[in-house]
Amino acid sequence: MLVVIPCLIYRKTGFIGPKGQRIFLLLRGVLGSTAMILLYYAFQATSLADATVITFSSPVFTSIFAWIFLKEKYSPWDALFTAFTITGVILIVRPPFLFGASAAGTDESYSVHLKGTFAAVAHAVFAAVTMVIIRKMGKSVDYFLSIWYYVVLGLLESVIVLFIIGEWSLPYCGLDRLFLILIGLFGLGGQVFLTKALQIEKASPVAIMRTMDVVFAFIFQIIFFNDMPTWWTVGGALCVVASSTGAAIRKWCQSSK
């Protein structure tokens, strides 16, 4: 909020938004923040691999919702690129329910693991609907205003949930507080670029390109943790990059006609 408020004042967009778009802004804020809460819960309740691969099924839901609500064309090429991307993500994270428990062990009880799995699926659905809503608003709403609704409603929703479950507390001193600040700053940067991307590009290609998050995650894993990826990871990364490159080339060919 501290970063977005000066941007809104500088851009003179106001804090409420156009009258006809306010319902979409409210939905974007509520669904977007709910998706983020579900994502963090999924990472805590189930294995990182399971949660990651399930949440990155979001492009599939985005393409379907964009086809239903925005009447965007869903061609066989889109289906192929989406399938290729999901295949790559699965190869990268190697979820235990497909590759066996030895691929990424989990110690949680089955009930907790199941709750985490459902949370990850719900995140994918909510994130997909959020992308479609942002695309629906288009350039009629400043992308910083869209983020403003996200942070305000996300703050209110988080505070309410924390008080309901009785988990409200201050973080520990030292690195914990620094990491939380960095999460906020980098998360804001991601929201700014994602919202801007959805204003100038169709929802489905943006969702597919977001799967590059997995590739970058493994690059940072090597740089910061000196943890070399397996050949499964390399194969999955190639699938994701090939899919993203193919979608970009197809878009360029269509625009050049």
Side-chain angles (χ1 to χ4, degrees), residues 137-154:
M137 292 187 294
K139 297 181 180 180
S140 62
V141 175
D142 189 274
Y143 58 97
F144 270 108
L145 186 62
S146 175
I147 297 170
W148 167 251
Y149 271 81
Y150 168 76
V151 296
V152 171
L153 294 175

Side-chain angles (χ1 to χ4, degrees), residues 35-248:
M36 190 58 63
I37 292 174
L38 289 167
L39 175 62
Y40 287 134
Y41 175 78
F43 283 144
Q44 288 186 338
T46 188
S47 68
L48 182 62
D50 278 7
T52 302
V53 70
I54 294 171
T55 55
F56 273 94
S57 64
S58 180
V60 177
F61 297 110
T62 303
S63 300
I64 295 173
F65 291 147
W67 171 57
I68 295 174
F69 297 110
L70 302 182
K71 307 303 180 184
E72 291 186 3
K73 185 179 179 181
Y74 189 81
S75 67
W77 283 107
D78 294 320
L80 176 63
F81 291 141
T82 300
F84 218 58
T85 298
I86 300 302
T87 300
V89 173
I90 292 174
L91 288 176
I92 289 175
V93 300
R94 302 184 305 280
F97 65 87
L98 288 179
F99 290 80
S102 60
T106 175
D107 298 327
E108 296 89 354
S109 64
Y110 180 74
S111 60
V112 176
H113 176 73
L114 196 60
K115 291 178 182 178
T117 301
F118 281 126
V121 173
H123 164 82
V125 174
F126 279 113
V129 176
T130 301
M131 288 186 180
V132 172
I133 290 174
I134 295 174
R135 181 63 182 172
K136 174 67 175 179
M137 292 187 294
K139 297 181 180 180
S140 62
V141 175
D142 189 274
Y143 58 97
F144 270 108
L145 186 62
S146 175
I147 297 170
W148 167 251
Y149 271 81
Y150 168 76
V151 296
V152 171
L153 294 175
L155 175 62
L156 293 174
E157 186 175 351
S158 297
V159 171
I160 292 172
V161 172
L162 282 171
F163 274 111
I164 291 176
I165 64 178
E167 293 289 340
W168 180 265
S169 63
L170 290 175
Y172 292 108
C173 295
L175 287 178
D176 279 2
R177 296 186 180 184
L178 175 62
F179 287 151
L180 285 171
I181 293 173
L182 290 176
I183 288 173
L185 292 176
F186 283 113
L188 175 63
Q191 284 293 319
V192 169
F193 287 117
L194 176 61
T195 304
K196 184 62 178 178
L198 287 166
Q199 288 185 334
I200 60 179
E201 180 55 275
K202 289 183 178 180
S204 299
V206 172
I208 293 174
M209 290 299 293
R210 281 198 67 237
T211 58
M212 288 294 293
D213 287 2
V214 178
V215 179
F216 286 120
F218 279 93
I219 293 176
F220 295 149
Q221 172 181 299
I222 297 173
I223 296 175
F224 295 110
F225 300 104
N226 196 28
D227 187 2
M228 293 298 297
T230 64
W231 285 110
W232 286 108
T233 300
V234 175
L238 289 175
C239 287
V240 175
V241 172
S243 174
S244 302
T245 304

